[in-house]
Amino acid sequence: MSEPGKREEKAEEMNGEPGQEAGAGDSVEDQEGTVDELSEALREKDQFKRLAQRTQADFINFRKRVQSEQEESQVRAVRRFALRIIEVIDQLEAALAPAAAEGADNSWLEGVRAIQRNFASALASEGFEKFECAGEKFDPHKHEALVSTPTAEYPPDTVIQELRPGYKHRGEIVRPAQVAIAVAPPDDQPEASE
């Protein structure tokens, strides 16, 4: 069969009637159905696109959250380790106190002081800072009151002595300072009425 004959056959198969071109005999209802299907497909495409964008944004947020949690976990681990080192520094400082060091060999004392300075330097290089608090108003986030001393020399709730130093890391308190605070002497307190 020749080429033109094949084309006519295909057109007849598509339309069911010989001699009609495809789409020429479609009814208005068929055309509306095709338009409805096309608009439905476009609507679904937009839906899937929005869903893909939301999923991508959720994944990006999830990745950021996991990364942030990992960083926080690392900081907590470093702080736990640093607190152990700080305890060693406290013990070295106690060993170097004048009363404890009395009668000790000077070269031995210098060696212990060098070790203490190395530990303090290692902490400082990682961002840990010792903070002073004598004379400050008592802050429960920053201080741990171990002793309260009645005195008129200082206003009540003032830190009058630091018993153990506190440390900060990146602006956050990692170990509160243990302190003695002033309280009003018993004479200055008003008597309770009966």
Side-chain angles (χ1 to χ4, degrees), residues 129-184:
E129 307 171 51
K130 186 189 292 191
F131 61 87
E132 301 294 324
C133 56
E136 293 182 357
K137 182 155 178 61
F138 176 76
D139 178 354
H141 299 292
K142 201 174 167 184
H143 309 120
E144 182 181 342
L146 296 183
V147 178
S148 57
T149 305
T151 181
E153 193 175 328
Y154 297 96
D157 292 332
T158 300
V159 175
I160 57 174
Q161 184 183 6
E162 184 179 281
L163 305 172
R164 183 188 77 179
Y167 284 83
K168 293 190 289 188
H169 181 244
R170 296 183 180 178
E172 290 183 37
I173 304 298
V174 292
R175 185 178 87 167
Q178 291 180 340
V179 297
I181 60 169
V183 293

Side-chain angles (χ1 to χ4, degrees), residues 1-191:
M1 190 179 274
S2 68
E3 274 304 307
K6 285 184 182 178
R7 285 189 198 142
E8 286 177 16
E9 255 182 49
K10 282 187 181 179
E12 288 174 10
E13 286 174 10
M14 291 177 74
N15 295 320
E17 297 180 24
Q20 280 189 336
E21 288 184 23
D26 290 346
S27 68
V28 173
E29 289 176 359
D30 289 342
Q31 288 175 354
E32 285 177 2
T34 305
V35 169
D36 288 344
E37 287 175 11
L38 179 61
S39 27
E40 177 66 21
L42 290 173
R43 188 185 63 74
E44 285 179 1
K45 178 194 86 134
D46 289 340
Q47 247 182 340
F48 288 131
K49 183 178 178 181
R50 284 192 303 273
L51 179 63
Q53 289 169 338
R54 273 196 309 269
T55 303
Q56 185 177 18
D58 288 345
F59 180 70
I60 290 169
N61 291 337
F62 170 76
R63 238 180 28 204
K64 286 179 182 176
R65 187 173 60 247
V66 166
Q67 182 179 2
S68 173
E69 288 171 358
Q70 286 175 341
E71 289 170 1
E72 288 173 12
S73 178
Q74 288 173 344
V75 167
R76 282 192 304 272
V78 166
R79 287 179 178 173
R80 277 193 306 272
F81 179 72
L83 287 173
R84 290 181 184 161
I85 300 299
I86 289 169
E87 291 298 323
V88 172
I89 291 173
D90 288 344
Q91 293 168 2
L92 288 171
E93 287 175 355
L96 293 170
E102 190 175 310
D105 181 29
N106 280 342
S107 62
W108 182 85
L109 284 175
E110 279 309 310
V112 173
R113 281 189 187 100
I115 293 169
Q116 185 264 343
R117 283 191 301 268
N118 285 340
F119 275 126
S121 174
L123 282 175
S125 71
E126 293 299 321
F128 289 86
E129 307 171 51
K130 186 189 292 191
F131 61 87
E132 301 294 324
C133 56
E136 293 182 357
K137 182 155 178 61
F138 176 76
D139 178 354
H141 299 292
K142 201 174 167 184
H143 309 120
E144 182 181 342
L146 296 183
V147 178
S148 57
T149 305
T151 181
E153 193 175 328
Y154 297 96
D157 292 332
T158 300
V159 175
I160 57 174
Q161 184 183 6
E162 184 179 281
L163 305 172
R164 183 188 77 179
Y167 284 83
K168 293 190 289 188
H169 181 244
R170 296 183 180 178
E172 290 183 37
I173 304 298
V174 292
R175 185 178 87 167
Q178 291 180 340
V179 297
I181 60 169
V183 293
D187 317 343
D188 295 347
Q189 294 179 353
E191 294 180 20

